[in-house]
Amino acid sequence: MVNRRETPYDGTISMVSGSIREGFRLEGSDLDFMFWPNDHRVIMDMSRSEYYNTANTTLILSDSSESPPGFTLLQLLTPTTDRDVQSSCVRMNDRVYISSSTYRRLTCSVVEPNSTVHGPCASGIIGGRQEYDHAFCFVSDFWPVSASSWTDRCHSWPDSEVVSYIVRNGCHFVAIGHPLGPYLNEEWRLSFSQAEYKLAYSMNHCQFLTYGLLKLFLKDVMNQQSEETNKLLCSYHMKTTIFWAIQQNTLPHWCPQNLLASFWVCFNLLLRWVYEGVCPNFFIPQNNMFLTKVHGSAQNRLFLQLHELYKKGLACLLQSSSIRSYIIDVLYNPRLYICTDESIMRCEVDYDVELVKESFKQAAHPEDLFVLTKFIHTIEQLVDSPLTHYQLVPLRILTASSFQCTAFQLQNMYTNTGVNKQMYIADKVSCHMLKLAVKFGCVSDMLYTAMYYHKTLRYREALSVVNMTKVKLAQPYLMYNGRVDRERYTEAVGGQSWSTKSRQAVAMDIKLDNDICYISELIPEQQSALQNKSLTLYIPVFVMLHFLEFLCYRHIDTTLSHAALDELQVLVHHDQGLYVSYIQRDITWEILGICQQITGNLQAALYSYQQSLTQDPFHKIQSATHRRIQEVVSNQ
């Protein structure tokens, strides 16, 4: 909400999509993002052009006259300054069209280098584990004519308000053509991702659980049947199944007691579709999504496998390791029912752990003070609007992050200006903002104040903050990295406001935006990361604590400086993932090496830098590490 309000008109809009956007947190799910240029708009007919100022908007016409249902050509109507769009243009029948295959190839590695093309997306793995799909597309503010029948079908679900919202927000066009279409390399597919997440939010609890059950059934059961058929069905087919099942009123009562019956209704619908070889797109039914995959011998094999599962009845769900333990008692004793009451299944601390995980994903990446000022003003406006508890928590974290960024940007701007009054005022404002950040944020946010004092050469003040933070981090009820002593946490802060919980019992990793200087010793790492399009360093809070202790004590007490380095070394060498996660080992070993190099222990520093290079290159700091190694070797 904040980013969209502050994205310049000629900027790029991004949107989380897929199952994560819909509310699922299933192990192994891809991280799906959609990106589109904000100053390009697709219109469905020429009459719509009057709604736009062509001086600042590039207009594209959707021409589906020769394409299969659900696909279209995109004709460029007005000039564009976007290089990727310009390079993707092809001329056909004296008109200029945007080639989907060329655009897909050109945008493949824009966000993540070394991505590979997968369908309409750029795909790969982040941090050695997390798979991602990035789709670069175009947006239309209008609902396509080919999907007009969908609005006519919405009698019982979703309600008129949701239908109106969906139609009002138009659709997207992703870069892939129909395999059997006349223009495979030029065509684009209509995407209804925005409508689909709104529909997922419109489901009742049982419907949403049924959708989740279908996804787990696909992953744990259907995709384990045979290598020949495990790629024929995908989660989008499951989504389409539940959408049709709800809209066609195939079940009188979608309630938790009917969860298994709901699943069985959807399974039967899917089985019929496979038998007939027709899976109608929910928005454009004429688009048969089985057309190129589920046909012929492959269709026959898939149907036989599904029919074998069908003959087992609901017991086929027992093949899923994810859900077997939850349903086995119910299947053998029909009088029981599955407990789906979340207030019984999950306690307060479990909700808090998830809330921290979700909220920590929110971060500002400002470019300058002007953007930051607008950012903070936008947050101020949002505070006065009706927000849920789950929106307020990340907004608090976003507020703290914005104040921290502003404080360091001010300090960087006015340092060495030679104007003492300006430096004095900037320092006062920065300190005030950092204090506000601590009020809005959590325990670990105190370390940003310590970093600021270290940067402005106030080492004793910095150590005072570090020591206060150390006391709070030592509390037995601390929540960090998803780990917490549930009993002690509940005893200490259970039932209290989120602001109290976060200030007293929650710690998070230290985020350093790479376009801002926080600690001069880390400038090479930040520059290396930026060169490789990595915007942020994520430093474990205990690593930063010992790092700051070491840096400050160097100017006050050499013995205590060595003690801080010893603590850091023990942590780095012996941590088993408790305080340093897998993807943070590169920067953690790097920081240890920096400290060792500062003390003159070049052999130890060399070893630490070499260890940094062997870790997953999540932060993309390898070029800085190589330079440090050369420096150490030349000084030995």
Side-chain angles (χ1 to χ4, degrees):
M1 290 164 71
V2 177
N3 282 336
R4 287 200 180 189
R5 292 190 186 198
E6 297 314 315
T7 299
Y9 192 72
D10 60 351
T12 299
I13 296 287
S14 65
M15 179 181 82
V16 180
S17 58
S19 62
I20 288 178
R21 178 64 183 268
E22 291 167 350
F24 289 107
R25 297 298 178 268
L26 301 174
E27 191 175 340
S29 287
D30 293 349
L31 188 59
D32 299 324
F33 273 90
M34 296 176 73
F35 302 87
W36 62 91
N38 199 25
D39 57 351
H40 288 57
R41 284 293 189 274
V42 179
I43 56 176
M44 305 305 173
D45 58 71
M46 293 299 294
S47 65
R48 303 291 189 179
S49 61
E50 64 186 58
Y51 293 100
Y52 298 97
N53 178 2
T54 54
N56 60 13
T57 304
T58 297
L59 290 185
I60 301 166
L61 177 66
S62 171
D63 176 8
S64 57
S65 58
E66 297 183 52
S67 298
F71 293 82
T72 188
L73 293 173
L74 294 183
Q75 181 188 348
L76 191 65
L77 294 177
T78 60
T80 176
T81 56
D82 188 300
R83 289 184 181 180
D84 291 331
V85 177
Q86 289 174 342
S87 301
S88 303
C89 289
V90 294
R91 186 170 287 276
M92 297 188 302
N93 302 323
D94 295 326
R95 295 172 182 172
V96 176
Y97 293 90
I98 304 169
S99 164
S100 59
S101 59
T102 306
Y103 191 73
R104 188 173 62 233
R105 176 174 54 79
L106 292 174
T107 57
C108 183
S109 297
V110 167
V111 178
E112 287 291 335
N114 305 316
S115 297
T116 57
V117 172
H118 175 245
C121 301
S123 298
I125 298 177
I126 305 174
R129 298 181 183 183
Q130 178 66 66
E131 295 183 23
Y132 65 84
D133 279 328
H134 292 157
F136 283 81
C137 55
F138 294 104
V139 67
S140 175
D141 298 315
F142 303 101
W143 191 248
V145 176
S146 56
S148 58
S149 66
W150 176 77
T151 56
D152 299 331
R153 291 200 320 266
C154 298
H155 305 299
S156 58
W157 184 85
D159 62 40
S160 58
E161 189 177 324
V162 173
V163 173
S164 175
Y165 174 91
I166 288 173
V167 171
R168 232 178 20 249
N169 282 274
C171 64
H172 293 83
F173 298 83
V174 294
I176 191 167
H178 195 289
L180 303 180
Y183 304 104
L184 171 62
N185 293 321
E186 289 75 39
E187 280 177 340
W188 295 70
R189 187 175 73 201
L190 276 75
S191 168
F192 299 95
S193 288
Q194 202 160 235
E196 287 158 8
Y197 90 74
K198 192 67 178 177
L199 288 176
Y201 290 179
S202 302
M203 293 179 181
N204 69 25
H205 192 48
C206 177
Q207 291 163 345
F208 186 71
L209 289 175
T210 304
Y211 180 20
L213 198 55
L214 286 166
K215 291 169 77 74
L216 289 172
F217 181 65
L218 172 71
K219 176 187 172 187
D220 294 351
V221 181
M222 289 158 62
N223 282 350
Q224 307 303 320
Q225 298 295 302
S226 161
E227 284 192 16
E228 295 177 302
T229 58
N230 69 357
K231 297 298 181 184
L232 295 179
L233 294 177
C234 65
S235 60
Y236 195 78
H237 295 131
M238 302 300 108
K239 182 193 296 188
T240 304
T241 305
I242 185 70
F243 283 168
W244 279 108
I246 296 171
Q247 192 173 73
Q248 292 178 337
N249 291 318
T250 49
L251 194 74
H253 302 291
W254 293 86
C255 57
Q257 290 81 355
N258 285 341
L259 177 60
L260 294 180
S262 306
F263 165 80
W264 198 241
V265 161
C266 293
F267 182 73
N268 275 267
L269 180 58
L270 183 66
L271 185 65
R272 191 184 83 199
W273 284 350
V274 172
Y275 177 75
E276 295 172 349
V278 177
C279 176
N281 181 276
F282 185 60
F283 299 95
I284 306 175
Q286 297 83 3
N287 177 10
N288 176 13
M289 298 187 297
F290 280 174
L291 196 59
T292 58
K293 276 191 174 182
V294 184
H295 62 92
S297 59
Q299 176 190 352
N300 188 52
R301 284 194 299 272
L302 180 60
F303 175 76
L304 292 175
Q305 288 172 6
L306 287 174
H307 195 260
E308 285 301 311
L309 294 171
Y310 173 79
K311 288 193 293 186
K312 294 177 182 177
L314 287 168
C316 67
L317 287 170
L318 295 177
Q319 294 183 38
S320 169
S321 57
S322 304
I323 55 181
R324 182 189 301 120
S325 61
Y326 296 101
I327 65 169
I328 190 166
D329 290 338
V330 179
L331 290 177
Y332 288 112
N333 187 351
R335 286 178 296 178
L336 298 174
Y337 70 93
I338 298 173
C339 176
T340 57
D341 186 341
E342 290 190 22
S343 64
I344 296 173
M345 296 171 67
R346 311 205 73 181
C347 59
E348 178 186 9
V349 64
D350 289 323
Y351 276 117
D352 288 351
V353 167
E354 294 302 322
L355 197 53
V356 170
K357 282 183 186 176
E358 294 297 311
S359 302
F360 187 54
K361 295 173 185 175
Q362 315 305 320
H365 294 292
E367 298 171 4
D368 53 38
L369 268 176
F370 176 70
V371 176
L372 271 166
T373 304
K374 289 177 65 182
F375 208 86
I376 292 171
H377 180 62
T378 301
I379 292 172
E380 188 179 26
Q381 291 176 316
L382 280 174
V383 169
D384 294 327
S385 61
L387 297 171
T388 68
H389 172 64
Y390 298 102
Q391 291 172 316
L392 281 170
V393 172
L395 196 63
R396 291 180 68 93
I397 293 172
L398 206 54
T399 303
S401 171
S402 301
F403 285 155
Q404 290 153 359
C405 291
T406 305
F408 282 93
Q409 287 285 52
L410 276 172
Q411 199 277 330
N412 291 333
M413 177 178 288
Y414 289 102
T415 299
N416 301 323
T417 60
V419 183
N420 290 335
K421 185 177 180 181
Q422 284 184 342
M423 290 173 63
Y424 174 79
I425 294 171
D427 180 68
K428 284 289 184 185
V429 172
S430 295
C431 289
H432 179 63
M433 285 196 150
L434 289 167
K435 287 177 182 176
L436 285 174
V438 170
K439 287 185 178 181
F440 283 106
C442 60
V443 173
S444 46
D445 284 310
M446 296 171 68
L447 290 181
Y448 289 91
T449 305
M451 279 189 277
Y452 182 84
Y453 284 147
H454 166 264
K455 195 168 190 296
T456 52
L457 313 182
R458 286 173 276 191
Y459 304 117
R460 293 190 185 278
E461 288 94 329
L463 285 168
S464 174
V465 176
V466 166
N467 288 328
M468 284 190 290
T469 310
K470 188 184 284 189
V471 171
K472 290 198 171 189
L473 290 175
Q475 297 303 321
Y477 48 78
L478 182 77
M479 180 186 293
Y480 177 62
N481 267 354
R483 294 185 177 89
V484 64
D485 184 318
R486 280 161 165 71
E487 287 186 17
R488 291 185 173 182
Y489 178 89
T490 303
E491 184 180 306
V493 295
Q496 298 190 44
S497 68
W498 179 252
S499 59
T500 300
K501 289 177 179 178
S502 60
R503 288 201 309 271
Q504 294 184 8
V506 175
M508 295 187 285
D509 292 326
I510 302 299
K511 281 185 176 183
L512 303 185
D513 284 302
N514 286 327
D515 53 4
I516 300 175
C517 175
Y518 300 82
I519 298 176
S520 57
E521 285 80 0
L522 288 177
I523 290 176
E525 283 66 31
Q526 289 186 289
Q527 290 176 340
S528 171
L530 272 179
Q531 287 167 4
N532 290 285
K533 300 179 181 178
S534 179
L535 300 176
T536 313
L537 296 183
Y538 296 89
I539 301 177
V541 65
F542 291 95
V543 171
M544 180 57 78
L545 183 86
H546 297 316
F547 187 32
L548 284 170
E549 267 192 311
F550 167 79
L551 292 175
C552 293
Y553 274 130
R554 280 180 59 239
H555 302 276
I556 296 172
D557 189 317
T558 307
T559 303
L560 292 175
S561 175
H562 283 296
L565 178 54
D566 289 342
E567 287 190 64
L568 177 60
Q569 185 165 310
V570 169
L571 173 63
V572 177
H573 279 266
H574 301 289
D575 181 72
Q576 299 296 315
L578 189 63
Y579 300 111
V580 180
S581 69
Y582 173 78
I583 61 172
Q584 295 172 313
R585 291 176 187 167
D586 58 344
I587 189 64
T588 297
W589 278 103
E590 188 87 355
I591 287 172
L592 177 59
I594 292 168
C595 296
Q596 291 165 333
Q597 186 177 356
I598 289 172
T599 61
N601 190 347
L602 300 185
Q603 195 61 40
L606 182 61
Y607 175 80
S608 295
Y609 292 144
Q610 289 169 339
Q611 285 298 308
S612 177
L613 288 176
T614 64
Q615 308 303 319
D616 182 88
F618 178 75
H619 290 97
K620 300 181 175 63
I621 59 171
Q622 302 98 301
S623 59
T625 310
H626 283 298
R627 285 196 296 271
R628 290 190 183 277
I629 288 175
Q630 290 173 357
E631 187 180 326
V632 168
V633 170
S634 64
N635 289 327
Q636 279 185 323

